């Protein structure tokens, strides 16, 4: 009989391995590798909700506009690649949601551009781009190598826990809500980066008509023809009930007996198509937007329910219900094959969950933080919120934000005064409740700076939107500020072994004067470009100097990696990167942190 391993046996150390570049990535658009100590795994889960139903009273043509039938989410998580070898080695994830060509057409429809040129351009650039994340990889069961190598008491405790076969890491959880035109994959630079630092990040793909295009699979026992919706395009497998009986794909699905599905494209506000524009005299269509946020709130609750099932050891039950599997529309052929659900049991902290969102997802985050029935929500991270779409706060204190909050905005939205005032309004709402609150702006950034589009198409962002910040640096500042915030507000058991980026962005900030006006206006655009792009004074000379600076640095670096020097007009060693509009005093931060000690 073999001797059992000794308790003091030194465990195998594992650190992040950079994914190899594909042949296409040598020449075409690619996403940068993540910087945290973990590799990143990814899996798609779509399961029926507990109570399928129309959501809100909003109707068009006598039918409900919004429905809740399934919940679709992409889960980014810390993984261990070194335990997966041979045929079981996981593959990288496609960036463009499947079916890719149809999704590209959805983006064309959303942008009001002919589908052929959009699809052709994406095919030549990013249609086949892959995430530096691996589908269904093994959940990490180790602490970061640098922590375990630390000679201090923290490293000693980490080594003891890692050497104990009954002890496994538990990871904090973030739920991410996308903006208009978004999906569960188009914020992968932020979601994957957070996962590489030891978070489980759940990116929900909302079915509220805010995305460019999404596919809703239905269980085989659902009578698709009975689903009432004024916006969903239903496809079934029943004779005579397809929208287009001549469609070859529909006929193939009927022949193969696959599940029915419906398609939800971007829903335009009725008689107010440009309600996102600062110049729209009618303002935001709050009837539609509030209904969409209502649906998003229900989706967040369903996502948390699934996380509870995974964490309590019922992963196999979730997998049995999963609709993103081989043969079903928009699914990977891999499905959830290879996932060891036992690894997920007890793997997450489901108290003090962080709600995070960009643009319309920021408005969603505000409303989620106002919902005091969601006791498991601990704090909110708001990225460039569309403040105009945020429902007004209730008069009742129980309908107002009372959780720690950080708002990180782009400079282009800072110059949109009505939106800036709204962000100040809900930030004050949190501060008046006694909660810690920060309000920051990333200098030189535009609204898409926090999405993958800025990383994949930096030249277009610079030329069309006058973005002046390096896109990878903008993502880095967003991540760093968020991690510093979470290091302050999360309980110590969730942060004790962190290897998070820390540039003292929050701790070094001094209490500013009341944020009644933006700090600087030299980049403020002309009125017609408000919220769309910035203004670059002396643009030609500025760009020429930036080009010479990058070229000189490239020569000095002698061919080494200089991606962090490209595509930015400013040298941030020479000026501020972040403006602080609002922050708590150092004493208040210390008082908050002392409650955990």
């Amino acid at each position: 009989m073999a001797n059992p391993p000794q308790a003091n046996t030194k465990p195998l150390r594992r650190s992040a391995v950079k994914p190899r570049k594909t042949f296409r990535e040598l020449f075409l658009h690619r996403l940068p590798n993540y910087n945290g100590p973990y590799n990143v795994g990814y899996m798609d889960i779509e399961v029926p909700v507990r109570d399928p139903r129309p959501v809100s009273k909003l109707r068009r043509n006598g039918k409900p506009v919004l429905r809740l039938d399934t919940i679709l989410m992409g889960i980014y998580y810390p993984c261990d690649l070194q335990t997966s070898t041979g045929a079981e080695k996981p593959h990288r994830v496609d960036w463009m949601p499947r079916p890719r060509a149809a999704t590209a057409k959805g983006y064309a429809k959303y942008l009001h551009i002919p589908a052929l040129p959009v699809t052709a351009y994406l095919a030549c650039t990013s249609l086949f781009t892959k995430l530096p994340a691996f589908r269904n990889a093994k959940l990490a069961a180790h602490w970061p190598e640098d922590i375990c190598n630390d000679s201090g008491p923290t490293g000693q405790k980490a080594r003891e826990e890692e050497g104990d076969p009954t002890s496994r890491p538990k990871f904090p959880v973030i739920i991410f809500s996308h903006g208009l035109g978004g999906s569960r994959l188009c914020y992968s630079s932020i979601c994957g980066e957070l996962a590489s630092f030891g978070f489980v990040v759940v990116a929900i793909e909302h079915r509220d008509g805010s995305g460019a295009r999404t596919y809703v699979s239905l269980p085989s026992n659902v009578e698709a023809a009975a689903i009432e919706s004024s916006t969903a395009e239903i496809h079934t497998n029943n004779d005579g009930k397809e929208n287009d009986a001549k469609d070859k794909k529909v006929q193939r699905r009927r022949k193969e007996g696959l599940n029915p599905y419906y398609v939800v494209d971007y829903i335009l506000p009725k008689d107010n198509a440009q309600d996102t524009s600062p110049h729209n005299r009618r303002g935001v269509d709050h009837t539609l937007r509030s209904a969409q946020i209502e649906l998003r709130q229900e989706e967040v609750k369903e996502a948390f329910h699934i996380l509870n099932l995974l964490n309590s050891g019922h992963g196999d039950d979730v997998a049995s219900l999963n609709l993103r599997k081989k043969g079903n529309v928009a699914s990977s052929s891999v499905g959830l094959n290879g996932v060891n659900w036992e690894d997920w049991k007890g793997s997450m902290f489901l108290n003090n969950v962080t709600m995070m969102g960009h643009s319309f997802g920021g408005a969603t985050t505000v409303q989620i933080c106002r919902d005091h029935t969601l006791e498991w929500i601990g704090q909110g991270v708001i990225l460039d919120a569309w403040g105009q779409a945020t429902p007004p706060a209730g008069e009742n204190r129980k309908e107002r934000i009372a959780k720690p909050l950080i708002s990180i905005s782009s400079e282009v939205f800072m110059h949109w005064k009505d939106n800036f005032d709204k962000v100040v309004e809900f930030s004050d709402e949190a501060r008046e409740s006694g909660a810690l609150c920060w309000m920051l702006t990333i200098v030189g950034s535009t609204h898409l700076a926090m999405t993958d589009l800025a990383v994949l198409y930096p030249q277009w962002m610079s030329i069309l939107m006058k973005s002046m910040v390096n896109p990878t640096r903008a993502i880095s500042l967003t991540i760093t500020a968020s991690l510093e915030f979470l290091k302050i507000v999360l309980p110590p058991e969730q942060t004790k072994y962190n290897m998070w980026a820390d540039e003292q962005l929050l701790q070094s900030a001094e209490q500013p004067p009341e944020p009644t006006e933006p700090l600087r206006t030299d980049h403020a655009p002309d009125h017609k470009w408000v919220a769309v792009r910035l203004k670059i004074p002396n643009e030609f000379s500025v760009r020429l100097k930036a080009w010479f600076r990058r070229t000189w640095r490239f020569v000095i670096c002698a061919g080494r990696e200089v991606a962090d020097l490209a595509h930015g007009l400013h040298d941030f060693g020479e000026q501020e990167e972040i403006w602080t509009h609002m922050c708590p005093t150092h004493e208040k931060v210390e008082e908050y942190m002392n409650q955990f000690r």
Side-chain angles (χ1 to χ4, degrees), residues 210-258:
S210 65
R213 175 165 291 180
T214 186
Y215 289 79
V216 182
S217 294
L218 297 169
S220 56
N221 61 349
V222 170
E223 183 58 50
I227 291 179
E228 281 193 312
S229 175
S230 65
T231 54
E233 181 185 351
I234 309 292
H235 297 266
T236 76
N237 303 319
N238 303 317
D239 290 335
K241 294 183 181 179
E242 299 89 353
N243 284 349
D244 184 1
K246 296 181 181 180
D247 189 297
K248 292 182 179 179
K249 290 184 178 180
V250 173
Q251 292 182 16
R252 176 179 59 79
R253 291 179 60 81
R254 184 198 320 146
K255 183 178 179 180
E256 296 177 3
L258 302 178

Side-chain angles (χ1 to χ4, degrees), residues 3 23-24 68 165 222 242 253 261 276 295 304 343 459 489 501 506 510 514 548 552 557 559 578:
N3 293 326
F23 180 76
R24 291 179 59 88
L68 179 64
V222 170
E242 299 89 353
R253 291 179 60 81
Y261 69 96
T276 58
L295 175 54
F304 182 74
D343 292 344
Q459 299 293 1
V489 302
L506 303 188
E510 297 294 335
E514 290 302 306
F548 276 117
W552 174 248
C557 290
I578 283 185

Side-chain angles (χ1 to χ4, degrees), residues 46-249:
E46 182 179 14
V47 295
V49 299
R50 291 167 289 180
D51 179 22
R53 65 195 185 279
V55 173
S56 88
K57 298 178 181 179
L58 184 63
R59 301 176 75 87
R60 291 183 183 175
N61 301 321
K63 295 182 179 180
V65 175
L66 304 177
R67 290 194 56 87
L68 179 64
D69 290 298
T70 69
I71 175 68
L72 171 60
M73 53 192 185
I75 302 181
Y76 302 77
Y77 58 91
C79 78
D80 181 3
L81 287 182
Q82 296 187 21
T83 59
S84 300
T85 58
E88 297 181 357
K89 190 172 182 179
H91 297 284
R92 290 171 60 189
V93 180
D94 294 325
W95 177 73
M96 182 69 74
R98 294 169 180 261
R100 287 176 290 212
T103 300
K105 292 177 181 178
Y107 277 108
K109 182 179 178 181
Y110 169 67
L111 297 170
H112 304 287
I113 298 174
L116 182 58
V118 170
T119 305
Y121 182 72
L122 289 174
C124 294
T125 55
S126 59
L127 196 67
F128 299 96
T129 293
K130 292 186 179 295
L131 274 59
F134 297 84
R135 189 177 295 277
N136 300 351
K138 181 178 176 61
L139 180 68
H142 63 282
W143 297 114
E145 181 179 14
D146 289 346
I147 283 186
C148 292
N149 288 339
D150 181 67
S151 58
T154 300
Q156 175 64 28
K157 189 172 181 181
R159 287 191 295 273
E160 290 174 357
E161 288 196 19
E162 193 174 54
D164 181 358
T166 64
S167 176
R168 297 176 60 87
K170 290 182 70 173
F171 301 109
V173 173
I174 298 173
I175 297 178
F176 193 95
S177 175
H178 65 71
L180 298 181
S183 72
R184 68 195 185 282
L185 290 165
C186 69
Y187 294 87
S188 69
S189 295
I190 286 180
C191 295
E193 187 76 1
L194 289 168
S196 77
F197 282 103
F199 286 85
V200 173
V201 184
V202 179
I204 299 174
E205 183 155 305
H206 296 295
R207 271 51 185 283
D208 61 342
S210 65
R213 175 165 291 180
T214 186
Y215 289 79
V216 182
S217 294
L218 297 169
S220 56
N221 61 349
V222 170
E223 183 58 50
I227 291 179
E228 281 193 312
S229 175
S230 65
T231 54
E233 181 185 351
I234 309 292
H235 297 266
T236 76
N237 303 319
N238 303 317
D239 290 335
K241 294 183 181 179
E242 299 89 353
N243 284 349
D244 184 1
K246 296 181 181 180
D247 189 297
K248 292 182 179 179
K249 290 184 178 180

Side-chain angles (χ1 to χ4, degrees), residues 66 110 176-182 187 206 208-211 266-267 275-276 284-296 355-368 382-391 413 419 447:
L66 304 177
Y110 169 67
F176 193 95
S177 175
H178 65 71
L180 298 181
Y187 294 87
H206 296 295
D208 61 342
S210 65
Y266 185 78
I267 298 174
D275 80 325
T276 58
V284 174
D285 184 345
H286 283 290
T287 301
L288 172 62
R289 302 309 181 189
S290 295
Q292 289 176 315
I293 288 179
E294 183 181 344
L295 175 54
R296 284 166 167 242
M355 188 67 207
M356 188 177 195
H358 174 255
S359 191
F360 194 39
T364 305
T365 299
V366 170
Q367 203 63 9
I368 289 289
I382 299 167
L383 306 181
D384 218 18
W386 182 19
Q388 306 297 89
T390 307
F413 263 32
N419 198 78
H447 187 55

Side-chain angles (χ1 to χ4, degrees), residues 521-542:
T521 58
D522 51 334
H523 301 153
D526 297 334
H527 179 69
K528 67 177 180 178
W529 295 115
V530 168
V532 176
R533 69 185 195 184
L534 296 170
K535 184 176 183 178
I536 306 176
N538 305 312
E539 183 174 351
F540 178 77
S541 62
V542 169

